[in-house]
Amino acid sequence: MEFKTKKLLHGGDYNPEQWLDCPDILEKDLDMLTEAGCNVVTLGVFSWSTLEPEEGRFCFDWLENIINKLYERGISVILATPSGARPKWLADKYPEVLRVDSERKRALFGFRHNHCYTSPVYREKTAIINRKLAERFGNHPAVILWHISNEYGGECHCPLCQDAFRKWLKERYHTIEELNKRWCTTFWSHTYNSFDQIESPSPIGETQLHALNLDWKRFVSYQTTDFIKAEIHALREGGSKLPTTANLMYYFNGLNYFELAKAIDVVSWDTYPTWHKQEVIETAYDNGMCHDLMRSLKRKPFFQMESCPTSTNWQGISKLKKPGVLFAQSMQAIAHGGEGALYFQIRQSRGASEKFHGAVIDHYGGTDTRVFREVCHTGSALDKISELAGSNVKSAVALLYDWDSQWAMEDSQGPRNKGLHYKEALLKYYRGFRKLGLNVDLVDMTGDLTDYKILAAPMCYMFRNGFEEKVRKFVKNGGIFVATYWSGIVDDTDRCFLGGVPHGLMDVLGIRSMEIDGLYDWEKNSLIPVSDNLLGLDRTYTCKYLCDLVELRGAEAVMTYGDDFYAGYPALTVNAYGDGQAWYVAADAEKEFQVEFLRRIAEKAGISCGVEGEIPEGLEITTRENSEATYYIYQNWGSQTVEIPLPKGEIQTLYGETEKGLEPYGLAVLKV
Ligand code: GLA
Ligand code: ZN
């Protein structure tokens, strides 16, 4: 099902159930929502105990009343299913819905996001209320989208989940012999005689079979997605045809979002960057990469479901968002292909654990607050650029990000248990491309590569079945492939490849990785350019953490190591293969290396974002397009006003004053 909006969405999570005894406050909220230019709210995320105060007694009138009032104001509703937090009566009567932890201890009632995904009772109770919500509100003209539960995550080790895990394994491996072989269980005599003997990983049991750990993660992801499908199925049974979303989380490690995204119609996510902890632009790259990941999950527009209007109350330091940051953060979601920027939350709760979390309407309750004014400003800007709704982000560059590979790599005991710095490595490549104003998609190993000109795959530890063939074809057809150290080491059950690595690509890359050196935190090596190298690189860069020792098998060395017993060994190599080119970066180089290296590669290949002149420091450029135009979106994350480099063609200004330059946290949108 398609999710289409004519306008960019602006609004957020709203919890009127906390204020049902204060009708004057609810009335005032409506006025304030209108004043802030909000066109949507999310309702019902944690409303189960108000919607069904006792088993089988449903109270939906309050919700209908609020939905009607919002509708009169032209405010749409994203309606949640309430499974994110269950009522007490449910936990008391059916304890099987409570999660069991990895030490096999069952939780008491409390908190949220902690139900068993396998429990037939929980699935049934969820299905009943979802069906009823769908019957009552699934065709209400205000309701535009289902918000399935809230921030899925976590795992349960109860007997029901163990059984489901065994069943899942049996479907995957068919025989116990095959499982033993793929998991390498003869190691330490951990061989299984039957599927019934298998237990999920536990600190008081098995943790050393990496393939078991990996399959457990895959199972948790599968089972959670299956639960989502069951929730959606109930909505369909209730007669609703509305599209669905789930609010995902920042690079969340616990679920394979590429798989989960297949179960929903539109991706949304909750973003809480810690601004001002480092240079603002660096946080913007990190947040931007996550926006790009979310967009890439379905290669379709997504939206920002939650963000804090000012400080959160759960981060180590509750930093206020400085003036302009709320606006800039919201606009970044749009720049990267989002259909809206929503907040958590509209009205600040009065008690319990989030009473000091930032909100559009705080405990003071007036419109004369700094935050409220910023929300209004953001709302009016979103309105002015609303023609961006439905336009797409097209990228020539893909960055590989694969959950299975990351899970396996982070679990494996290898060259650097003290920290592989994987996400930092990814970000260095991302940053290099973004400094050129290039859009970037993130793809996993199942992704289609045909539309890309460059594929960068830092630390691609696992080669899932057939990946090397896909890369070979990509390069053969003219693609530029950038691989790094610690790549192509294991297969998809984390068994090491025999006969040399990077597996299956030694001829494409023209090298073999022989050994890898883990460096102490304080240690450094360097990458020195070879004279007259084909990229014209002329600076020495430092590298840390991991240094791969490679032998040339046809590739050309472009840089070499400066120190240690491997001084003079190749550190950056290139090999021509088919119509394309395969690069190998042997070490974790400092971030300025990627900037220079990727700039030169892109220039040589004629890949650019289409603006003329230098892109100043701190300026982010993103493009969105539709059948009529290409939109150039500029955001200044620096502290000085900067001039913006213009694209070629007939330019119309949709937002911002381009002649005077772009002020800090400012936005300019040009239509070409
Ligand atoms: C998450 C949740 C919200 C709220 C916010 C607070 O994103 O989905 O319910 O707790 O965090 O930042
Ligand atoms: Zn369970």
Side-chain angles (χ1 to χ4, degrees):
M1 221 156 294
E2 281 291 306
F3 176 66
K4 282 214 162 83
T5 57
K6 285 189 209 89
K7 284 180 177 176
L8 295 172
L9 303 174
H10 185 227
D13 275 40
Y14 182 43
N15 294 94
E17 68 277 10
Q18 294 172 12
W19 305 95
L20 292 179
D21 57 348
C22 309
D24 51 324
I25 285 186
L26 293 174
E27 281 304 320
K28 197 169 168 203
D29 288 348
L30 292 169
D31 292 339
M32 288 178 76
L33 281 166
T34 308
E35 189 170 338
C38 289
N39 52 30
V40 69
V41 296
T42 304
L43 292 178
V45 180
F46 298 113
S47 309
W48 200 337
S49 68
T50 313
L51 293 168
E52 190 183 0
E54 285 165 337
E55 185 168 20
R57 183 163 71 82
F58 296 94
C59 305
F60 290 1
D61 290 351
W62 65 271
L63 183 57
E64 180 160 319
N65 187 19
I66 283 158
I67 294 178
N68 287 341
K69 287 192 170 162
L70 288 161
Y71 186 59
E72 282 164 23
R73 304 270 182 149
I75 299 171
S76 302
V77 170
I78 299 173
L79 190 56
T81 66
S83 66
R86 77 188 85 74
K88 176 91 166 97
W89 59 257
L90 207 162
D92 286 357
K93 185 162 177 197
Y94 308 103
E96 72 165 55
V97 306
L98 299 165
R99 242 177 231 183
V100 171
D101 71 13
S102 60
E103 297 194 16
R104 312 313 192 237
K105 202 164 71 256
R106 198 178 282 279
L108 298 176
F109 174 79
F111 232 86
R112 61 171 177 176
H113 302 163
N114 51 6
H115 58 270
C116 169
Y117 292 125
T118 306
S119 157
V121 170
Y122 201 63
R123 286 183 177 220
E124 186 202 323
K125 292 293 165 196
T126 303
I128 293 170
I129 194 155
N130 286 8
R131 250 186 328 258
K132 292 208 176 280
L133 286 168
E135 283 161 7
R136 180 91 171 247
F137 303 111
N139 293 307
H140 193 293
V143 182
I144 55 169
L145 181 69
W146 289 106
H147 180 295
I148 311 299
S149 199
N150 195 61
E151 294 191 333
Y152 284 104
E155 53 191 53
C156 173
H157 297 255
C158 78
L160 295 164
C161 287
Q162 301 292 347
D163 276 349
F165 180 42
R166 291 173 195 133
K167 192 169 149 249
W168 181 86
L169 288 170
K170 204 164 179 181
E171 273 165 26
R172 200 173 169 90
Y173 297 105
H174 306 290
T175 66
I176 198 68
E177 291 73 27
E178 179 65 8
L179 177 141
N180 280 316
K181 196 170 111 193
R182 299 296 302 274
W183 285 12
C184 300
T185 56
T186 44
F187 180 81
W188 288 355
S189 216
H190 289 204
T191 312
Y192 296 98
N193 301 103
S194 75
F195 284 97
D196 308 334
Q197 293 176 329
I198 297 173
E199 282 274 338
S200 60
S202 167
I204 55 168
E206 184 68 276
T207 57
Q208 298 302 295
L209 279 178
H210 291 161
L212 162 70
N213 300 345
L214 176 62
D215 272 345
W216 171 250
K217 289 195 172 83
R218 286 173 171 146
F219 164 76
V220 169
S221 206
Y222 167 86
Q223 195 70 347
T224 307
T225 306
D226 190 61
F227 186 90
I228 297 175
K229 288 181 186 163
E231 284 219 42
I232 294 171
H233 181 72
L235 296 173
R236 302 297 176 232
E237 282 179 343
S240 174
K241 295 197 172 72
L242 289 173
T244 58
T245 191
N247 53 336
L248 310 184
M249 293 175 276
Y250 177 79
Y251 308 109
F252 181 61
N253 189 259
L255 297 168
N256 181 341
Y257 279 162
F258 279 102
E259 289 301 319
L260 186 154
K262 291 178 190 159
I264 54 177
D265 299 303
V266 57
V267 168
S268 62
W269 80 286
D270 302 343
T271 164
Y272 294 94
T274 43
W275 297 105
H276 319 300
K277 210 173 170 180
Q278 53 179 345
E279 244 184 286
V280 173
I281 180 69
E282 301 300 335
T283 306
Y285 288 136
D286 185 42
N287 197 50
M289 184 163 90
C290 203
H291 281 310
D292 290 345
L293 171 64
M294 297 296 165
R295 184 192 67 244
S296 302
L297 295 176
K298 291 183 89 73
R299 289 184 76 180
K300 272 188 189 166
F302 67 101
F303 68 98
Q304 172 178 293
M305 181 66 90
E306 294 181 20
S307 70
C308 188
T310 179
S311 61
T312 66
N313 73 327
W314 52 264
Q315 289 163 335
I317 305 285
S318 303
K319 189 100 204 131
L320 293 177
K321 277 199 169 78
K322 294 187 194 293
V325 175
L326 181 160
F327 172 82
Q329 182 179 329
S330 301
M331 296 306 144
Q332 194 188 25
I334 308 304
H336 286 254
E339 297 293 271
L342 278 60
Y343 312 105
F344 182 90
Q345 56 179 341
I346 299 296
R347 180 177 278 277
Q348 197 168 31
S349 54
R350 194 157 181 201
S353 71
E354 289 181 342
K355 58 184 174 293
F356 296 123
H357 192 284
V360 174
I361 307 172
D362 63 14
H363 296 142
Y364 162 65
T367 54
D368 52 339
T369 66
R370 182 179 73 91
V371 171
F372 192 80
R373 278 192 291 270
E374 285 221 29
V375 171
C376 294
H377 172 52
T378 303
S380 92
L382 287 170
D383 194 47
K384 287 187 188 127
I385 60 172
S386 63
E387 67 175 81
L388 285 172
S391 60
N392 290 308
V393 172
K394 286 197 187 139
S395 311
V397 174
L399 191 61
L400 196 103
Y401 182 67
D402 188 283
W403 261 267
D404 287 43
S405 178
Q406 185 182 1
W407 282 334
M409 179 168 66
E410 286 174 349
D411 191 37
S412 82
Q413 290 135 293
R416 217 172 181 284
N417 301 327
K418 216 181 155 216
L420 292 163
H421 298 270
Y422 171 56
K423 213 192 104 202
E424 276 169 60
L426 269 180
L427 205 46
K428 286 182 200 174
Y429 287 85
Y430 180 79
R431 181 177 178 273
F433 290 123
R434 293 294 298 135
K435 276 184 173 272
L436 303 170
L438 296 174
N439 294 339
V440 178
D441 281 355
L442 280 89
V443 296
D444 78 349
M445 282 180 224
T446 66
D448 181 1
L449 301 178
T450 36
D451 292 343
Y452 303 113
K453 294 189 173 132
I454 304 182
L455 169 67
M459 300 179 79
C460 192
Y461 168 73
M462 173 184 285
F463 277 3
R464 286 166 71 182
N465 203 3
F467 180 65
E468 62 275 13
E469 284 315 311
K470 197 185 256 188
V471 172
R472 176 181 298 276
K473 201 169 137 204
F474 173 77
V475 182
K476 204 172 188 172
N477 293 339
I480 299 172
F481 177 52
V482 180
T484 77
Y485 56 95
W486 213 226
S487 290
I489 311 290
V490 299
D491 71 8
D492 52 17
T493 48
D494 201 36
R495 282 187 311 186
C496 293
F497 287 118
L498 306 178
V501 298
H503 170 73
L505 291 181
M506 289 183 291
D507 62 328
V508 174
L509 290 158
I511 55 114
R512 178 175 84 84
S513 157
M514 303 180 293
E515 298 179 84
I516 188 159
D517 193 17
L519 274 57
Y520 292 108
D521 279 350
W522 48 264
E523 263 189 303
K524 277 189 185 136
N525 204 316
S526 60
L527 277 66
I528 302 175
V530 167
S531 50
D532 297 328
N533 63 75
L534 85 167
L535 285 187
L537 289 168
D538 53 9
R539 235 200 81 186
T540 294
Y541 298 92
T542 57
C543 62
K544 293 177 76 173
Y545 306 132
L546 289 165
C547 292
D548 194 357
L549 280 49
V550 304
E551 65 171 359
L552 297 176
R553 289 191 169 190
E556 179 183 332
V558 176
M559 298 184 101
T560 55
Y561 284 115
D563 297 302
D564 217 321
F565 73 91
Y566 41 92
Y569 281 38
L572 172 68
T573 67
V574 61
N575 193 44
Y577 184 83
D579 296 334
Q581 228 180 30
W583 291 87
Y584 194 80
V585 186
D588 189 352
E590 63 173 299
K591 62 183 189 225
E592 292 318 307
F593 163 77
Q594 281 82 0
V595 173
E596 218 27 55
F597 166 58
L598 298 175
R599 184 172 70 79
R600 288 171 198 238
I601 293 188
E603 263 172 23
K604 263 183 163 278
I607 302 166
S608 88
C609 72
V611 302
E612 294 187 304
E614 284 290 302
I615 301 175
E617 272 301 307
L619 186 71
E620 214 197 347
I621 304 178
T622 317
T623 55
R624 288 182 71 154
E625 47 196 279
N626 56 26
S627 54
E628 274 168 43
T630 300
Y631 299 89
Y632 278 77
I633 307 168
Y634 300 83
Q635 289 197 269
N636 181 4
W637 300 103
S639 53
Q640 308 291 325
T641 296
V642 292
E643 264 184 52
I644 63 173
L646 299 176
K648 282 180 232 140
E650 198 187 309
I651 302 171
Q652 191 191 325
T653 305
L654 199 63
Y655 194 91
E657 293 256 359
T658 49
E659 269 122 65
K660 284 194 242 147
L662 194 61
E663 74 282 9
Y665 300 128
L667 168 82
V669 183
L670 305 182
K671 184 173 177 179
V672 185

